[in-house]
Amino acid sequence: MGLVLSIANQKGGVGKTTTAINLASSLANLRNKILIIDLDYQANATSCMGIDRGSFQKSIFDVFKKEVGFEDILIKSHHRNIDVLPAKTMVEGIEEAIIGDTNRDFILHDHLHKFKENYDYVLIDCPPSLGYITTNALVASDGVIVPVQCEFLAMDGLTQLLNTIRIVQNKKKVNKEDLTIYGVLLTMLDKRVTSGFQIVNEIKTYFKEKVFKTIIPRNITCSNATFYGMPVTQFSPRSKSSISYKKLAKEVVSRNEQG
Ligand SMILES: Nc1ncnc2c1ncn2[C@@H]1O[C@H](COP(=O)(O)OP(=O)(O)OP(=O)(O)O)[C@@H](O)[C@H]1O
Ligand SMILES: [Mg+2]
């Protein structure tokens, strides 16, 4: 119970937030109880779940500052079975607060330890960087989903991410815990562009069975949904991207059942 998955890639705009909210929505439709943790200052996941950034005072970053606990900031979204620990933009003093903490890599991990039992899946939307916040996300996670955009230079930066994952795996060994690469997700494939398929082959050659069978197509409905602050799976349930995210959710569940 309570499988914690980080959606991480320090490269910007590869589909982390889109994956976090649509996977959450699709898993919730399969009757799972979901917690989304928004760890990005851009607070995109918070907005995309229809939560007005002006409607709350404290955010996940205040948890890092030890000012509040999860219970104080938890928001029940409009979507059935999805709760959100929201992020806020313009929060000062986070890095300093984290650096000053001797337990700095385990802050999120320790808060989630009991809390995750209330959920079937906890999805963490990571920021586009490999700093303390992402390390906290990875340490708190059982697995990481790496979205990779099917475009030129897709592999760029993946070595750095894999190194960070290895470092976190070593940190977690202390608690006899592990962090797996749960899956590599190919995103925004434009079927009209042949180089996209070359990227698909390149990633499959490197990551082999780690690559999810589901590939998310580039689909304008997906970005339109972001504009309206909704997962595409609700905005346009029959769109290609929506159908793909539903398929992805089934793959995620099946990997979980296989252990
Ligand atoms: N399958 C898709 N088809 C078309 N547009 C998409 C698709 N997936 C994501 N997008 C759009 O691409 C942009 C980047 O996506 P997203 O915000 O999910 O990436 P990200 O990795 O979270 O970015 P950041 O690193 O800035 O947090 C957004 O405008 C989103 O609406
Ligand atoms: Mg994002």
Side-chain angles (χ1 to χ4, degrees), residues 191-227:
K191 291 196 170 146
R192 296 163 304 181
V193 183
T194 44
S195 60
F197 290 97
Q198 285 170 12
I199 303 291
V200 170
N201 286 335
E202 206 178 324
I203 296 288
K204 281 187 176 167
T205 305
Y206 191 82
F207 288 100
K208 301 192 172 65
E209 71 284 353
K210 289 283 180 197
V211 182
F212 286 113
K213 289 197 178 66
T214 309
I215 297 179
I216 311 297
R218 182 173 279 286
N219 180 226
I220 187 71
T221 322
C222 205
S223 35
N224 287 346
T226 313
F227 182 78

Side-chain angles (χ1 to χ4, degrees), residues 31 44 60 67 73 124 128 136 141-142 148 155 157 159 205:
R31 297 175 192 277
N44 289 339
I60 187 73
E67 289 179 5
I73 59 162
I124 308 179
N136 258 273
S141 296
D142 301 300
V148 175
M155 293 285 282
T159 317
T205 305

Side-chain angles (χ1 to χ4, degrees), residues 16-17 40 42 44 125-126:
K16 293 181 289 294
T17 303
D40 189 355
Q42 299 175 95
N44 289 339
D125 185 25
C126 292

